Amino acid sequence: MIISRKGFLNMAAAAALSLGFGGTPAAAQEVTLTLHQFLPPQANVPKLILDVWADNVEEASGGRIKIDRFPSMQLGGRPPELMDQAIDGVADIVWTVVGYTPGRFPRTEVFELPFMMTNARAASRAYWEMFETHMRDEDFKDVEILGTWVHGPGIIHANKEVRTPADMEGMKVRGGSRLVNSLLEKVGAEPVGMPVPAVPEGLSKGVIDGTTIPWEVTAALKIPELVGNHTEFTGNALYVLTFVLAMNKDRYDSLPADLQKVIDDNSGLEFSIFAGGVMEDSDAPARKAAADRGNNIVTLTEDEAQAWQAVAAPIYDEWVAEMSEKGIDGQALIDEARGLIAEYTE
């Protein structure tokens, strides 16, 4: 078959366009990132925070970034392995509880000290600012941190009423972090370490008598159906846990500068405050659901909380001593965190 000159030119032009050459720009570069976390997709954090963040990034990138979301550890492993999955590139991005790897990121623990937190927005803002100052190049030097936040006030959920530290004597209670476990020991309970997705089975099988988690996650885990007693504190929270949204450093560095900017613009301080606030705002509906079931909700006054604060007080001195052994000025971190939280508390 003989191809005319005009036909040849038309074919060449088509080939050039298919390869991204010729007179029009190449198709936009596409980047697919994996986001891995431990909660089911209908839980508040995936639904109200992580999906919102991922959707915003996708939209701001003009469709050049796609984020595939993998809830409930669908990429394999256990929740305590999530940070290493981000560092090693098993997942591009992870959301995790920092305390799942006890002692590995020591400076974050300042926000997990008992009765440190006033509200999640103030603490999350302080956390990001102290991350930038003290943690970015130390604790988190091997990973790109996109957000840092804490949840709303930590609550005790138990199979019996708890009003005083003495009521905890002999109970087996799930603690979410090293410092929460220390607090449980101080009140005479036996701390049991387990990731939050394992709590429902632990309660239903009697492995634990209670758990420490915020209100917001209780609905997804059906906690009010498993225990009938809940103890909350007026004033500063009994405890909180710290979270991070973390990205593999090499994957972040491999992105074009404009796509790095898309990630940056949707991350950082404002995102951290948003995430902490959303978690705390989600406490009220979950609390109402427990109340509607007729569960016993004990709200301790600030005066009643003083007995708990007295028992917890030695944890501060112990933590400062532990930090000193690591070459970290723990008292300075405590003073800075308290000052920032007080400044940002409305």
Side-chain angles (χ1 to χ4, degrees):
M1 181 177 67
I2 299 174
I3 302 174
S4 68
R5 172 179 170 78
K6 180 178 179 181
F8 175 80
L9 292 174
N10 287 340
M11 291 174 61
L17 286 171
S18 71
L19 293 172
F21 303 127
T24 59
Q29 177 183 351
E30 292 186 2
V31 174
T32 300
L33 302 174
T34 56
L35 170 56
H36 199 204
Q37 55 88 19
F38 57 88
L39 286 179
Q42 70 272 18
N44 287 321
V45 171
K47 181 174 62 177
L48 303 178
I49 298 173
L50 301 181
D51 281 348
V52 170
W53 178 85
D55 290 346
N56 287 342
V57 168
E58 289 178 342
E59 182 179 355
S61 74
R64 295 173 62 200
I65 295 176
K66 181 176 184 294
I67 299 179
D68 289 340
R69 302 110 197 248
F70 295 90
S72 303
M73 302 304 298
Q74 288 179 352
L75 293 180
R78 300 176 300 110
E81 297 169 6
L82 279 165
M83 186 62 80
D84 281 327
Q85 289 186 355
I87 292 171
D88 298 337
V90 174
D92 296 317
I93 304 167
V94 304
W95 171 67
T96 190
V97 176
V98 180
Y100 279 168
T101 49
R104 185 170 171 186
F105 306 98
R107 292 167 181 83
T108 65
E109 291 183 337
V110 68
F111 293 101
E112 298 182 350
L113 288 163
F115 300 102
M116 173 67 75
M117 182 270 225
T118 56
N119 70 72
R121 287 179 174 85
S124 297
R125 180 172 179 177
Y127 181 9
W128 178 264
E129 292 191 6
M130 290 182 65
F131 155 74
E132 288 195 305
T133 305
H134 303 291
M135 305 173 199
R136 184 192 297 276
D137 299 324
E138 298 291 341
D139 297 48
F140 296 111
K141 63 183 182 299
D142 297 324
V143 71
E144 186 74 24
I145 297 296
L146 307 177
T148 63
W149 69 92
V150 303
H151 57 60
I155 308 297
I156 299 169
H157 311 269
N159 58 14
K160 71 171 189 175
E161 183 176 277
V162 172
R163 286 187 173 273
T164 69
D167 293 332
M168 298 284 286
E169 184 72 36
M171 292 179 62
K172 293 177 292 182
V173 182
R174 178 262 180 187
S177 72
R178 189 176 74 91
L179 290 181
V180 175
N181 288 343
S182 179
L183 174 63
L184 291 173
E185 289 176 346
K186 289 285 191 291
V187 297
E190 177 186 341
V192 179
M194 63 175 62
V196 71
V199 168
E201 183 178 5
L203 288 170
S204 64
K205 291 187 174 180
V207 175
I208 53 176
D209 302 309
T211 184
T212 55
I213 52 175
W215 276 117
E216 64 87 16
V217 77
T218 56
L221 299 177
K222 303 187 184 305
I223 300 302
E225 300 171 26
L226 295 168
V227 297
N229 298 277
H230 316 272
T231 303
E232 57 188 13
F233 290 72
T234 303
N236 287 25
L238 175 67
Y239 80 95
V240 293
L241 299 184
T242 55
F243 304 100
V244 291
L245 185 65
M247 185 171 182
N248 176 266
K249 217 175 211 354
D250 290 340
R251 192 72 170 108
Y252 175 84
D253 290 341
S254 73
L255 296 176
D258 60 334
L259 293 187
Q260 286 185 359
K261 186 175 187 302
V262 169
I263 298 288
D264 294 345
D265 288 348
N266 286 279
S267 305
L269 175 62
E270 293 304 321
F271 169 66
S272 299
I273 297 170
F274 160 78
V278 167
M279 287 193 78
E280 186 163 41
D281 290 346
S282 300
D283 286 342
R287 184 187 189 280
K288 182 178 184 301
D292 288 346
R293 288 183 60 87
N295 287 13
N296 177 36
I297 300 176
V298 175
T299 304
L300 299 181
T301 66
E302 292 192 46
D303 286 344
E304 290 173 318
Q306 288 181 359
W308 293 80
Q309 293 175 9
V311 172
I315 295 175
Y316 278 75
D317 291 336
E318 293 167 5
W319 188 76
V320 168
E322 290 167 358
M323 292 303 102
S324 181
E325 292 176 0
K326 297 175 182 287
I328 298 170
D329 188 341
Q331 188 59 54
L333 291 177
I334 290 170
D335 294 342
E336 184 174 352
R338 278 178 169 160
L340 289 173
I341 290 172
E343 179 181 350
Y344 300 138
T345 296
E346 296 179 357

